[in-house]
Amino acid sequence: MTRTSLENFNCSFARTADLIGDKWTLLIIRDAFYGTHSFSDFKASLGAAPTVLTSRLQQLCDKGILEKVQGRPGVDRFDYHLTERGKALFPVVLSIMQWGDTWIFGEGKEPIRIVERETGAPLLPVSVQAQDGHPVEPRNVAFAPGPGASAATVKALEKMKRRAGGVAVQPSRSRPSV
Amino acid sequence: MTRTSLENFNCSFARTADLIGDKWTLLIIRDAFYGTHSFSDFKASLGAAPTVLTSRLQQLCDKGILEKVQGRPGVDRFDYHLTERGKALFPVVLSIMQWGDTWIFGEGKEPIRIVERETGAPLLPVSVQAQDGHPVEPRNVAFAPGPGASAATVKALEKMKRRAGGVAVQPSRSRPSV
């Protein structure tokens, strides 16, 4: 079966990818974090066709990532602001930006510095950490059924577990740390 | 001007969005972190049309995120493995997944638990941190021209700075902390 929508995937990643897995959507979210609010400013910044911009902004409102507020009288009917749900995408936005800094432009060639406003000090690279704060590599992570796992999720994880060399194994709690 | 490619944007976020800002591309990257390597396993997991899967896998190889290695004889001609560049997307993948856990499924309903392999302990939520490790909110971040800023980047940041209420202001180093 060829799936055309990811909405029914029992997976947080797939469901989120369904909301934000689009170039213009991602750029709108980036600009919202930069403080862009009005349709005319989004248009000037992104150079997207108005129809594309209108549909993406509406989708982001429908999904609760942006919300419409009263715009400047006589200029823009609405402004668009990140909701709490939208602001919670901050680590996604920063990690995408930092990946490009490192792997596309390279150290010393970053187009934009992201800093703490008050001090001007650069932020730490967004990283995956264990409870005590030590960094965790992909090979040291396992994916296990969660409380909301469907039968299909459990089956898919079992299949991954059997696959040699994969990182997806259910952790054995009885296995001693070495 | 309506831009059709983001390749020339002098922005790490836009350039990265150009590589990974597509639902199927994101799902392939997710599955690669789960340990999926072969075309047949990607196909079984994602249910994508073979033509879609072939083009996305090839693009990911062209962009240096996946690399082809010899596959199982008689089954798959190639396997696909994450490169170092690809593995560096781990914080992006985890932060997308964790956002969906919190904002789509909600606490206690997560389909998949992401844990440290050795201990089974859950990971920390991916977060934006200052140098000393304290969490940084979007409103406390500023975007300043980096060493690779073009004239257009500087101009765009200046414009954001002038826009009232935006988060994008160049930090003043002489401003005392309060």
Side-chain angles (χ1 to χ4, degrees), chain A residues 12 85 147-148, chain B residues 98-111:
Chain A
S12 294
R85 187 177 161 91
Chain B
Q98 289 175 337
W99 188 89
D101 279 344
T102 303
W103 294 94
I104 294 178
F105 288 94
E107 203 181 327
K109 293 176 188 164
E110 301 89 341

Side-chain angles (χ1 to χ4, degrees), chain A residues 8-73:
Chain A
N8 297 320
F9 268 50
N10 185 231
C11 167
S12 294
F13 185 93
R15 292 282 298 278
T16 307
D18 201 36
L19 298 188
I20 66 168
D22 166 82
K23 286 167 200 179
W24 292 117
T25 301
L26 285 169
L27 288 173
I28 289 168
I29 294 170
R30 177 201 67 174
D31 274 13
F33 276 107
Y34 281 168
T36 302
H37 296 304
S38 70
F39 187 89
S40 45
D41 284 339
F42 281 114
K43 190 168 176 306
S45 164
L46 300 180
T51 48
V52 169
L53 198 50
T54 301
S55 76
R56 298 304 194 284
L57 285 166
Q58 189 56 51
Q59 283 165 23
L60 283 165
C61 290
D62 292 344
K63 302 298 183 184
I65 291 169
L66 294 178
E67 61 187 349
K68 290 179 186 175
V69 301
Q70 182 67 48
R72 285 172 291 177

